[in-house]
Every structure is written in structure tokens, then in C-alpha cells.
Amino acid sequence: MRPSLKDLFNSDAKVIYLSRFQLQKVEWSKTTQVNTYVYRFNALNSSSYFFKMPIIIQSDGLPWKVGNLYLLWQLDTPSLSNMKTLSARAIHLKYFLQYLEHTNQHFLDLPTQYQQRVPRKFRAFLQTVIEQHDFNAEYINNILSSIAHFYNYIQYQSLVSPSDIENKPFRERKVSIPIHNNAGLSRNISVITNDLKLKSSRKPIPSLGKLRDGGSLRPLSTQEQEIIFKAFDEDCTSIELELMMRIALGTGARQQSVCTLSIACITSALNYLEQRPESDHAVINTGYRYKTDSKGGRLNRLIFPRNLIYRLATYIDCERAENRRKSINSFYAGTEDNYIFLTRTGNPYLTAERELIDRNNPKPIWNTGAPVMVPKNGQALRNELNRFIDKVQKFEPNFKDFSFHDLRATYGMNIVRNLRAKGYPDSKIFDHVRQRLNHRSLTTTESYLKFDSEIESFNDIQNTFGITFAGDSDNV
């Protein structure tokens, strides 16, 4: 069994999370006694609360001073997209701290000999980790990118003395990379990177039967989809999971979009359809300008069939959903700002970016008495999906496991197969798949169109070898 990265270090360094954190300043004042002062904390005028603030703890139980100062400074930077980004950087720095403690080194160990500088030695260690333990090189490079960002930032903000960092921790270099615009046209841009990045890093090629679309995805077959809908009819799962899966299969929405859909989105879509009886679908926009989250905050258009909007509207009005919105944990309470889907405890399956903002400026119509928020990351959805799969496998033992994200790939392949069955040319199918799934990369869309042919070619080759070997054995 492959070890986790933290298991490779003799270190107890860790990351803990503060449920609610606010930047404050310390004000000192002199007392009547000689050389005696008192202090108090005052919140900064523009400071909001940050939820699930990561803190790096050393093996001795004390906070890692420079690492946590780096994290604090990040809270005011425009480049910080959300707390998930900060949490990822904290975890990456924690690995670096574990390496420092394990090897009894300091992050400012930067001798004249370049290869002996601690960031270069950490890079060499991670290179060995990839070779010996088959770790994902792309993830290892993300760690090294965070380390480079850490060193650049502590120098820029003067968190260390210039005399302590006379020798550069790494070398910068200029590279040209291709990018694609929304029309699919490519151009090269120059960016500054560093030599910590491992040259062996490549996006892994998905195994046969899988697509690479924000991960390695397995489209479900027609037979598997039929089994799923049969299981829905037999009440093998909650109505919440059933509807979330129907959304993913019917629109190609990612998990963060499905879980953060608001009641207002469905109400608006329902009003649109009632005013246009000739229309068989409604569009719900997601992204940074809208209530529903999307990958990276990018604008995305989800096309909902009319019957799916009706199903969701019926669920929203049912007693079960209303009771969940009345829970003490439900921040948005009975308003249309609330999530469509809440767990039985009244929590969202995944916390929306808008709630992180709204918690700092709550409206009276919301549940201002809700407990301090603990951001949700979709684990409740994954748990429900696993229980559903276990139930299905009891009457269909050959039914394979799948992830919620696999439903997105299933939606894409359903489009390809249905349009091909109707005689559409691949050029039209390509455009349709790319728009529905909001792909930036043309290669990603092409993989959907090639998927079935690659499977067929592989099976043909396997059958050919099987016939050849069978014939040889007859002649022995």
C-alpha cells in the first residue's frame, strides 16, 4: 500500500483550523505603574471574518512563526481566490516544515553551493518520492510552487532580513506557454517560473475507459444508467441524492454547482418556463457573478430540461425540504437565498462562496442565530453516494463503483452517442459538447468524440490476439 506523503517524515507538524478568524491590531497603553503597559485587540475597519483559517503547528506544539505570518499576509492579497487556496498552501508548507524537522534543517539554510540550498534539497527529495512511491507529479509540483511563492513573498514583505537570504533559494526562468481563448484559438504568452518545478511532471494519461476532464472520469454505460434509474424507482437512496444525480446527468453540472444551487435559481427558471410554454428548457447561470458556484468561478450556462425544473420545484415545496430549512443550522432559513439541498441537520452539502461573504453581513431575514459555520466540502454527498452504490451492488453484484464527477462525463458521452445516432457530423457534435460542458481545452472535447472508437479499437485488437493464440494452441 502506497504511503501518504506525511508518513515519509519523522515529524508531528500539522495544520489546524480556526472555525472563525478576524484580523485585529494590538493597541498598547501605558499604566500608572512604571514600565507597565496593557494591551487590547481592535478589529481592523475593513476586516471580515474568515472561516476555517489554517494554522501551521510545529512538532513542539508551537505555531510556525514565519509560515503563519505568510498565511496571514495572504488574507489581504487579491490573488487569493478563496480559503481553499489558502488551506492548500498551508498543507504544502506543512510538508516543507515536516521535511525541515525530519532533516534538522532551517528554511534559511541557503549556502553558497546551489544544490545544497534547502529548497533544492527538498525538490530532490520529492523527485525521489515520485520515483519510489509513484506519487502524482502534478501534485508534487503544486507543493513546490507553494514553496517558491512562500520564499518570494517573505522577501517581498520583509518577513526576513535581507542579510538572512543573500543566496537565492532558487533560480527564476522565463518560459513560453500556449493558451486557448474561448474561440479555441491558441497563442503563446511569456511567464516567469522557477527551476524547482520537476521536468518529469505531465498530466497523467487516463487509463482505457476513462476521460480526462478535471480529473480521470469514467462515463457510465447505458446499462449502468438503467440500473441507477431502476434503483431510484425502488427508493434505494434519499430524494436529495436522486435529484442531485439527475441534475448532473441532465446538465453536466459539477458537484460544486449542484450543491450550491439556490431556491431562487429554480424559481426564476420556473417563471421563465411558465411564460414560454413552447420552450423545453431553461438556462441557469453559474460563476462568480451568480449565486451558484462553478469551477474557478468561471461563467457557465447549465441547460435544465423542463421536467427537471418541475421535479426540483416540487421538492422545494415539500414538507421534508421545508423542515430542513427550519433547522437551527440553516443560515438562509426560509428565504429563496437558501440552498435547494440541505442535509437532515440543515447544513449545506457544500458551502457556497456567497455564504462566506453573507455570514459577515447577515440580513435580518436570515437565521442570524445559526451556529458558527464549519465550511462543508461535499463529504456528506460522497458518503450518501457510497451508501447508494452499496445498496445497488446487493442486487447487481457486477455494478461498478463510480464518483459523482463521473456523471458529468456520462452526460457528455450521452450527447455524443445520441447525436451520432441521429446522423450529426462530428464537427457539430464537437461544438455542442464543448458548449454544454464549458471546456477551455479543445483536446478535452476531442477526447469525448474519440472515446468509443478507442474502446472499440482496443477490443478488436484483444479479440484478434485471442483468435491468434487460440489458433496456435490448436496446432500444438
Side-chain angles (χ1 to χ4, degrees), residues 110-340:
L110 304 169
T112 303
Q113 189 175 350
Y114 185 60
Q115 295 301 331
Q116 292 303 310
R117 296 174 193 175
V118 69
R120 295 291 303 177
K121 293 167 73 174
F122 184 53
R123 177 189 185 276
F125 171 81
L126 292 179
Q127 177 72 67
T128 303
V129 165
I130 292 175
E131 295 170 355
Q132 295 183 354
H133 301 288
D134 194 30
F135 276 85
N136 185 298
E138 190 175 359
Y139 180 67
I140 295 298
N141 263 342
N142 288 338
I143 296 175
L144 291 170
S145 293
S146 293
I147 302 308
H149 191 270
F150 164 75
Y151 275 101
N152 284 333
Y153 208 80
I154 63 175
Q155 292 178 79
Y156 178 76
Q157 294 293 349
S158 299
L159 298 182
V160 293
S161 170
S163 61
D164 290 332
I165 201 163
E166 289 182 355
N167 296 321
K168 293 183 178 180
F170 48 82
R171 294 169 181 157
E172 293 184 338
R173 55 194 179 94
K174 191 175 183 179
V175 297
S176 179
I177 61 172
I179 63 169
H180 299 277
N181 62 17
N182 291 333
L185 300 177
S186 176
R187 66 184 179 92
N188 289 334
I189 62 170
S190 296
V191 297
I192 301 297
T193 182
N194 57 75
D195 63 354
L196 289 184
K197 184 175 181 180
L198 298 172
K199 294 181 180 180
S200 61
S201 175
R202 296 186 182 92
K203 287 188 175 181
I205 299 173
S207 57
L208 188 71
K210 292 193 174 184
L211 291 161
R212 183 154 189 87
D213 182 1
S216 186
L217 309 183
R218 181 181 74 84
L220 276 62
S221 67
T222 302
Q223 292 75 20
E224 288 177 305
Q225 294 176 66
E226 290 173 351
I227 291 172
I228 286 174
F229 288 116
K230 178 184 176 183
F232 289 165
D233 293 337
E234 296 181 0
D235 296 327
C236 288
T237 189
S238 69
I239 184 62
E240 289 79 19
L241 179 60
E242 176 184 338
L243 289 173
M244 285 191 279
M245 291 177 66
R246 286 185 182 275
I247 292 173
L249 286 169
T251 70
R254 291 183 170 89
Q255 175 179 290
Q256 61 261 56
S257 297
V258 174
C259 292
T260 57
L261 278 167
S262 71
I263 294 173
C265 293
I266 303 305
T267 301
S268 298
L270 187 62
N271 291 336
Y272 173 87
L273 292 173
E274 288 177 347
Q275 295 170 13
R276 296 167 179 80
E278 74 284 357
S279 179
D280 60 356
H281 67 269
V283 174
I284 293 179
N285 292 314
T286 69
Y288 71 97
R289 289 186 297 173
Y290 300 95
K291 292 183 180 295
T292 304
D293 291 352
S294 67
K295 181 181 179 181
R298 291 170 52 201
L299 175 63
N300 192 15
R301 299 169 70 250
L302 300 177
I303 301 176
F304 280 69
R306 177 182 285 269
N307 64 341
L308 183 53
I309 293 294
Y310 286 166
R311 281 178 181 267
L312 293 170
T314 300
Y315 170 75
I316 290 169
D317 290 337
C318 76
E319 184 179 0
R320 177 185 174 102
E322 289 179 355
N323 288 337
R324 294 190 175 204
R325 293 194 291 270
K326 291 177 182 177
S327 169
I328 184 62
N329 294 316
S330 179
F331 174 68
Y332 290 111
T335 67
E336 288 198 337
D337 295 311
N338 214 333
Y339 303 84
I340 297 175

Side-chain angles (χ1 to χ4, degrees), residues 94-105:
K94 185 259 303 187
Y95 290 136
F96 185 46
L97 175 60
Q98 287 181 310
Y99 170 77
L100 296 175
E101 293 183 342
H102 177 77
T103 56
N104 196 27
Q105 297 182 88

